[in-house]
Structures are given as structure tokens and as C-alpha cells.
Amino acid sequence: MKDIFRIAIDGPGGAGKSTVAKEVAHALGIDYIDTGAMYRAVGYKIIREGIDPGDEKAVEKMLSETDIDFVKGDVLLDGEKVNGQIRTPEVSEMASLCSAYAFVRKKLVTAQRKMGKTKSIIMDGRDIGTNVLADAEYKFFVTASPDERAKRRQKELSEKGRGVSYEEVLADIIKRDHKDTTRRLNPLKQAEDAILIDTTGMTVEEVVSKILKEIK
Ligand code: DC
């Protein structure tokens, strides 16, 4: 294994990428970067400031005065930890919306590339293997059926005390898949050299061990 290596994990929302990536990071003793959390932080600030997401100029101005970072498992919005606030369906939708803006992607991708320059990392998102770390040593595309992803998301939300119906979660997933795969800039797509893992019916442990086997 090289001294410094990068692992890219892409896939649709709710496929379990971050759970798996965190465990792989732990097993290998490397840093985990959740790029979705960075887009969520931008979406969260748009909501908090009451900005119209369709007003491109207003979003651009807000972003030019915003600092987004991901440090030791925490997403920092202007220095403030916002991990808890960004996991809501409203923020998911806003993150997906604002991630289509070129200036949003440019700012976050620049920050993400810097993170992979000096240390080994595992990074998950939508465009890591195809764009952010196109030269990553290892690439995986982690997916699952919409039905399975909706069930997992619903369970996660209900554990947090948020009762949402299966139909509602499934509709959100389908809507977000559509937005993420059809946007013009760096849409969600499997890199040609990525290993496909369909996690439908697989446990987290099985997915983690499959990834570790490919790496070691
Ligand atoms: O992985 P997630 O659900 O936390 O991501 C939230 C949104 O952010 C997702 O719908 C699309 C966007 N995103 C992106 O455009 N590029 C990434 N690398 C990661 C996320």
C-alpha cells in the first residue's frame, strides 16, 4: 500500500455510504470526509438566513461570506458545528438544490481536494471518483434499491423521534436521485474504474469487509 492513498465512495442518498466510510476509516486509521455534509451546511445557511434559493446572486453573495470546513468528523459552518441541524428533509432538499450551482461546487470541491493532498482519506459524495479525486487509488460506487434506501432512512428518522411515512421518504429519495443524476455539473455517476457494490440485503459489516478486502 502507498504511504498516502485516497478512497472515493460515491452513490445515491441513503445507500449507507457514510456509515460504511466511517467504519473503513476507523479500520484503516485514516480521516473520513463527508462531502454531503458540506453541501448540507450551505443549504442550512440558505434556510437559516431566509435566502431565496432561486436568487442566484443572493446565494453567491452569502457563500462569498461563508466558511465551510470538515474537521475530525464535524462539519463547521463559519466555525460552528452544525452536525445535528443539517440532518433534516428540508436541508436535504436545499443541499441538493444548491449543489447544482457552479460557484457552490467550485468552492466546496477546492476545499475537498486540499484535504486529500497531505494525508490518506476516505471521502464520500456524488462526484468524488469522477471529479474531486478522479485520480483516487480506490473507487467504489455504493448503491441499494430505492425501496431498501427508503426503509433505512425511515428507520434512522424514527430513531431520532421523527415519524415520517415510508411513502414520503421514498418520494423524497426518488426526487433527490433525479436531481442528483440529471444536474448539468458533475452529476452522480459511477466512475468507469469504480467497483460497484449493491448493498441491498447486505449488512454494514459485509460491505465494510468487501471494501477492506479490495484495499488490502
Ligand atoms: O450525501 P448527502 O445526502 O448528505 O448529500 C446531500 C446533497 O448534497 C445531495 O443530494 C447532493 C449534494 N452533494 C453533491 O452534489 N456532491 C457531493 N459530492 C455530495 C453531496
Side-chain angles (χ1 to χ4, degrees):
M1 221 189 275
K2 280 208 261 174
D3 281 352
I4 287 188
F5 59 95
R6 280 93 29 88
I7 307 171
I9 302 210
D10 290 299
K17 298 183 299 288
S18 59
T19 310
V20 163
K22 262 184 227 159
E23 295 211 6
V24 172
H26 184 72
L28 296 174
I30 61 175
D31 282 2
Y32 161 60
I33 317 281
D34 177 351
T35 65
M38 298 170 77
Y39 289 92
R40 284 171 182 271
V42 175
Y44 172 63
K45 189 163 176 181
I46 292 174
I47 296 172
R48 200 177 66 181
E49 307 262 302
I51 294 169
D52 169 8
D55 184 347
E56 191 169 340
K57 284 278 160 277
V59 178
E60 195 166 8
K61 179 169 183 300
M62 184 275 290
L63 197 71
S64 70
E65 298 155 354
T66 301
D67 187 47
I68 310 257
D69 206 351
F70 194 89
V71 183
K72 294 196 179 101
D74 294 316
V75 59
L76 302 177
L77 171 63
D78 299 321
E80 178 199 345
K81 282 184 199 173
V82 290
N83 306 340
Q85 296 94 307
I86 60 169
R87 304 283 161 200
T88 69
E90 298 73 37
V91 175
S92 298
E93 166 132 40
M94 195 60 86
S96 184
L97 252 175
C98 73
S99 70
Y101 282 133
F103 54 87
V104 172
R105 303 206 70 80
K106 189 165 171 228
K107 178 161 177 150
L108 298 192
V109 168
T110 304
Q112 291 155 8
R113 284 195 178 133
K114 259 192 212 145
M115 295 173 190
K117 279 251 158 24
T118 52
K119 55 183 189 300
S120 296
I121 51 161
I122 179 164
M123 192 179 271
D124 81 342
R126 304 289 187 285
D127 63 336
I128 312 306
T130 53
N131 175 43
V132 181
L133 305 176
D135 57 349
E137 283 74 13
Y138 306 99
K139 296 183 187 179
F140 299 91
F141 193 83
V142 174
T143 188
S145 69
D147 169 63
E148 172 120 351
R149 288 187 281 134
K151 283 183 184 143
R152 289 182 194 163
R153 221 351 96 89
Q154 191 196 19
K155 187 162 171 267
E156 211 180 286
L157 287 169
S158 80
E159 277 164 8
K160 287 184 192 154
R162 294 193 207 117
V164 191
S165 75
Y166 166 80
E167 287 73 24
E168 213 176 315
V169 180
L170 182 66
D172 273 357
I173 280 184
I174 291 171
K175 197 160 102 186
R176 206 143 65 90
D177 279 359
H178 180 74
K179 271 204 201 106
D180 292 348
T181 52
T182 58
R183 70 164 179 247
R184 197 171 52 84
L185 296 167
N186 304 121
L188 169 65
K189 198 173 141 224
Q190 182 180 344
E192 273 173 24
D193 50 351
I195 295 169
L196 173 67
I197 305 179
D198 184 341
T199 69
T200 310
M202 282 173 88
T203 64
V204 172
E205 291 68 36
E206 284 168 343
V207 182
V208 170
S209 89
K210 191 170 165 63
I211 291 178
L212 290 175
K213 229 181 257 161
E214 294 289 346
I215 290 168
K216 280 176 180 158

